[in-house]
Amino acid sequence: MAQIYRHESRDVDDQAQALNDWEQAYEQLGCGRFRGSCWQMVMDQGVLLRESTNRPLAEHIVPPKDHLVIAVPLAVAPGSVFAGRPLERESLLVLSDREQYDLVSAGELDIVGLSVHRDTLAGTLAPSKIEWLEQAGRERNLELTPEVAAAIRHMLLAVCDGAEREIDSLAQDANESTLLSATLTQAVVLAMRGDRSDMASSIPRRADTRLRVVKRAVEFMRANLANDIGVPDICNAACASRRTLQYCFEEFMHTTPQAYLRALRLNEARRALKLRAGQPITEVATLLGFSSASHFTRHYKLMFDELPSETLRVNAGAPFSL
């Protein structure tokens, strides 16, 4: 039986857990209070979903097991990136459970999509459409014509709105299956018609190399949040010169390596404070590489628009560890 879930959030970690059965981790990169929302209609073989966020984020995403996802932005801030390519209103995102995807939003992001179990794919689509979808999955981020992107957005929103009004009729398995199959088929037919990508190519080789530099750097940063590391250490881990590292971060993350490392540490500090460590704020700041409590507090307030002490007051706790 189809069920509708709604979620409102003021915290990126809470938002990352909002989608059923997804493995996600979000880091807030831009300053200001975070707001997010999620709407899902969960069916036996698939999910209609919509998610919106208001701040620059780094998102690390793995869809539900045995599912394939297609999605389009309703609103997206210029400069956003998905899978190493610009994320725009004309983008079609195709994700599978077989890999992790990285998305960097430059600000507001509102996405609508459809997650479908592979058994339904096989039982619904013709072989030619399945072949196209598999190729699109390897491409990850396709460019559609503006007209087709708008048609897919309109269709998915109309299905979501209709499901809200007729949720009782979806209690019957046959109606639920018909809705899911029809939505999937229409989305794929439209996408095939409007695909402007060259399926023979993926991310250009040089761009892919630059993206790997960023991934190596971020992995090193995450593993060393509590250690005293600097740009030379990050360069060594990323196998890149300082200039190359700077260029790659500006291209894919729209920030500097130093600012990204500070954002990671601030997000980790917020998680620690939400757990109500019992340790002084000064100790949390020191453990995460900040030179002083005042330095930490200033950057924390700029990022989250609240003081560390405010975060402590509104959250219950448990021991903190790195």
Side-chain angles (χ1 to χ4, degrees), residues 30 52-57 59 75-80 104-110:
S52 65
T53 53
N54 72 325
R55 295 295 175 204
L57 301 177
E59 305 182 13
V76 56
S80 299
V104 177
S105 64
E108 179 189 9
L109 180 62
D110 190 358

Side-chain angles (χ1 to χ4, degrees), residues 256-272:
T256 65
Q258 299 96 318
Y260 191 81
L261 176 60
R262 183 170 60 244
L264 288 179
R265 285 174 164 161
L266 287 169
N267 279 269
E268 190 63 27
R270 184 173 175 81
R271 294 182 186 109

Side-chain angles (χ1 to χ4, degrees), residues 87-141:
L87 177 60
E88 299 170 334
R89 287 257 295 170
E90 289 72 39
S91 297
L92 177 74
L93 286 59
V94 184
L95 306 82
S96 81
D97 64 319
R98 296 167 183 170
E99 62 179 296
Q100 176 181 287
Y101 301 86
D102 294 323
L103 188 158
V104 177
S105 64
E108 179 189 9
L109 180 62
D110 190 358
I111 285 184
V112 63
L114 178 67
S115 173
V116 183
H117 196 281
R118 292 185 182 278
D119 289 347
T120 296
L121 291 176
T124 300
L125 298 178
S128 61
K129 292 181 176 62
I130 293 176
E131 181 181 1
W132 179 88
L133 203 52
E134 289 174 349
Q135 291 178 322
R138 291 190 287 272
E139 189 80 357
R140 305 180 185 90
N141 183 352

